[in-house]
Each structure stands twice: as structure tokens, then as C-alpha cells.
Amino acid sequence: MEKIAMLGGGSWATALTKILSENGSRVDWWLRSKDDVQHLLRTRHNPRYLSAVQLDLNRVHPTTDLEEAIEEADWLVLAVPAAFVQPVLDKLDRDALKHKNVISAIKGMIPGKNQLVTDYVAERFRLPRTQLGVIAGPCHAEEVALEKQSYLTIGSPDAGLALAFCELLRNRFVSAHPATDLDGIEYCAVMKNIIALTGGIAHGLGYGDNFLAVLVSNAVQEIRRFLQAINPQPRDLSASAYLGDLLVTAYSQFSRNRTFGSMVGRGYSVKSAQLEMNMVAEGYYAVKSIHELNKKLKVTMPITDAAFNILYERISPAVELEILKEKLR
């Protein structure tokens, strides 16, 4: 039995805990809230997210003790919002993850540091990249929890690690495949949230499907330019880990980034949209991180620039989208 520490109490952490435990792994599940842990122990359901999912407490062990959760783990899965990764992991000793494989299920960056989650973990805990991986692909937690057919990609420089974690995830409704492009997959997972957020803003302003299709088509080119500037190597952006993830986030009803953007487009302030959603839209933080990184790279990124101007420079969404639409082809 593989021992897995799951960090985070949201939808994706819940869906992954369901899959991994039903496949036979032991999951020590760390949550911040004592009330949530008690509710799980009493009812076998997460009270806040995907509450219809029933968990087997013979294999799932909820706790608020971070060190207890990771102590015996072979694998550590990070499923907290990117903004909370540093405050959570900085509580641990620098050698706490020395002999563990770390998988990021986070599609965001460390705010302020402008770092990928895997880069931060490698630096903070002095881990080789061969102990790191990322979960990518079009994989909304809600559909995974409903056992809809889903496809995941595990990216890691170590093909053996990626394949091993794929085996832990595969079941009758989840297909999982390994890939070695850790940085490219992780950056794409960050940037697709920016695109979905911008598409949501357009939707909130009344733009239609025709415009969104052009926005996404241009986004593929924008992502390609950025990836080639920051981590140049041959990669097929039509693969599901890249394009598939972008499409589902840009179009799906479950996309929190699209929902957040739509609220901003309809006139909500950033703060009011965040409060009403009661969920983290990673794209909000990602916009600033990618914009800061691009100050040195100087890649042409009109969609990211538009999102940054709306969210951080407080330029009118209607005005900014008028400017953006003239730059798209």
C-alpha cells in the first residue's frame, strides 16, 4: 500500500483523495480546519467541497497535524491554492521531504516570488527535480468526482516517477500518462488560467463564442512564445496537457477562472468577486507573476497584458477589451 500525504481541503484535493484511496493507497489528508476534519470523521464527506463524495475512512485519515500527515508518506501531493503553499510548507523542517516524491496538483505560481510551485519546493527543501512532478491536463475536479472519463498527464524529469504516479491514479474513468516536460506543462497550466479569466471578462461584457474562439487561438501562440523564451525546447502544444487544459478551462461551466473573469466583466470589483465565489481563482495571482517575469523576457503577450491592466491597473474592462480585440487575428 502506497502512503500518500494530501495537503489541501478543496475540490481537487477531495477528488484526488477519492481516486487514490479507492485505488488502494492510504491517504493522510491534511486540512486546516478542525471542524472540517471532525465532519469528515463523522460523515465521511467534505463539508465544503464535493460534499456528495463519500470516502473510505479505512484508507483516508483526515488530520490538522501537518507533520503527522507527511511523516510516513512516500508521496506528498500539494493541492492547496498557490498563495498558501509557502505559509504551509515553511512550517516544515528543510529536511522533512528529503526522501519523498512531491507532486504538485496546483495550477498557479507562488505570489511575490513569481516561482513555479515545483521550483519553490526544490529550493526550499533542497530536492532534486527528479523527486518532483506535476498533475496536468483537462481535469475539473467536479467531473472527476462524478466519474466522468478524464485524462491526466503527470509531468516529471524522471519518467519512472511520472509513470509510478500514473499507476496510482489510473482506474476505469481516469487515464493517466507520463511526460518529461515539467516546466512547460506547469507554465502552461498557469497561463491557461489567465486566458480563461480574460475570456470570462469578455463573456461578462457580452462578447460571444466567435470572439472566445479567436482569443483561445491567439492564446496558443502567446503561450508558445512565452514557453520558448523561458524554457526553450521542442514541445507539441496540441497535446492534452497543454491545449486540452486550456480549452476546458476557457469553456467549461466548472472553470472558476472563467467565472471570476465573467464577474469582473459584469462590473464586480476583484474583492467582491473573490468574496462571492468563496474559491480561489489562480489566474488572478498568475497574471501578476507572468507579467513580472515578462518584464525581462519582453515577449509579445497582449492577452496577459490586458488581464493585468484590468485587474491590477484598474483600467475599465470594456476599454481594455476594445484595445485587445484590435490586436487579435
Side-chain angles (χ1 to χ4, degrees):
M1 181 184 293
E2 291 289 301
K3 297 178 181 177
I4 299 168
M6 179 69 62
L7 272 57
S11 300
W12 197 210
T14 305
L16 288 171
T17 297
K18 165 188 162 64
I19 295 169
L20 292 164
S21 60
E22 289 181 353
N23 281 356
S25 295
R26 172 191 168 106
V27 182
D28 290 300
W29 189 6
W30 177 82
L31 303 97
R32 289 190 299 170
S33 169
K34 290 183 179 178
D35 289 342
D36 289 355
V37 168
Q38 290 303 314
H39 189 278
L40 273 160
L41 291 172
R42 190 170 60 251
T43 69
R44 297 187 291 169
H45 299 277
N46 186 335
R48 299 176 186 270
Y49 303 98
L50 303 183
S51 54
V53 172
Q54 183 171 296
L55 299 161
D56 182 354
L57 295 184
N58 291 315
R59 292 191 178 129
V60 178
H61 305 272
T63 179
T64 57
D65 188 324
L66 182 60
E67 292 184 352
E68 176 187 315
I70 71 169
E71 184 177 8
E72 296 184 2
D74 305 302
W75 302 83
L76 175 66
V77 179
L78 302 174
V80 299
F84 303 146
V85 171
Q86 187 175 358
V88 170
L89 293 186
D90 278 358
K91 298 173 185 177
L92 296 173
D93 184 82
R94 289 180 70 89
D95 292 325
L97 308 183
K98 189 173 182 179
H99 301 295
K100 303 181 190 303
N101 296 317
V102 181
I103 303 293
S104 173
I106 303 165
K107 298 181 178 182
M109 300 184 74
I110 307 296
K113 287 182 171 289
N114 303 329
Q115 274 185 310
L116 294 174
V117 172
T118 56
D119 286 344
Y120 163 73
V121 171
E123 178 185 281
R124 172 70 176 78
F125 296 98
R126 297 172 294 202
L127 296 181
R129 288 169 60 80
T130 51
Q131 283 180 234
L132 303 172
V134 63
I135 301 176
C139 48
H140 282 311
E142 292 82 359
E143 288 200 359
V144 173
L146 290 169
E147 301 189 356
K148 301 284 189 181
Q149 183 64 43
S150 300
Y151 294 80
L152 305 180
T153 299
I154 308 302
S156 174
D158 186 324
L161 180 149
L163 182 59
F165 200 74
C166 286
E167 294 292 344
L168 297 179
L169 291 169
R170 288 172 178 155
N171 61 22
R172 62 180 177 79
F173 60 91
V174 173
S175 296
H177 304 279
T180 56
D181 181 22
L182 176 63
D183 284 351
I185 288 171
E186 196 168 1
Y187 272 119
C188 188
V190 170
M191 293 186 68
K192 56 90 181 180
N193 286 331
I194 299 172
I195 308 308
L197 192 155
T198 309
I201 292 173
H203 178 265
L205 288 167
Y207 288 78
D209 291 345
N210 293 343
F211 179 80
L212 183 58
V214 173
L215 182 77
V216 170
S217 298
N218 279 258
V220 174
Q221 304 305 316
E222 184 163 318
I223 292 170
R224 177 179 286 112
R225 290 193 295 270
F226 181 82
L227 290 181
Q228 281 304 105
I230 202 165
N231 184 256
Q233 62 173 278
R235 50 174 64 92
D236 180 8
L237 291 190
S238 67
S240 63
Y242 310 97
L243 181 59
D245 204 0
L246 170 61
L247 291 175
V248 77
T249 308
Y251 284 95
S252 175
Q253 61 177 325
F254 294 124
S255 172
R256 65 189 67 177
N257 288 282
R258 177 185 164 96
T259 299
F260 175 81
S262 182
M263 293 170 75
V264 171
R266 297 200 311 270
Y268 281 72
S269 68
V270 168
K271 182 62 69 176
S272 60
Q274 288 173 327
L275 289 172
E276 184 162 322
M277 282 182 64
N278 193 32
M279 299 176 82
V280 174
E282 293 281 17
Y284 171 71
Y285 301 101
V287 166
K288 188 172 185 181
S289 291
I290 296 295
H291 186 267
E292 290 293 321
L293 288 174
N294 198 41
K295 285 182 178 179
K296 292 182 180 180
L297 299 172
K298 300 188 184 306
V299 175
T300 301
M301 302 183 72
I303 302 172
T304 301
D305 291 344
F308 179 83
N309 290 339
I310 293 168
L311 298 177
Y312 289 92
E313 300 293 346
R314 298 186 178 180
I315 294 176
S316 161
V319 169
E320 194 61 40
L321 263 290
E322 281 292 323
I323 296 170
L324 175 63
K325 75 179 188 182
E326 296 302 319
K327 298 178 180 178
L328 303 181
R329 295 291 183 269

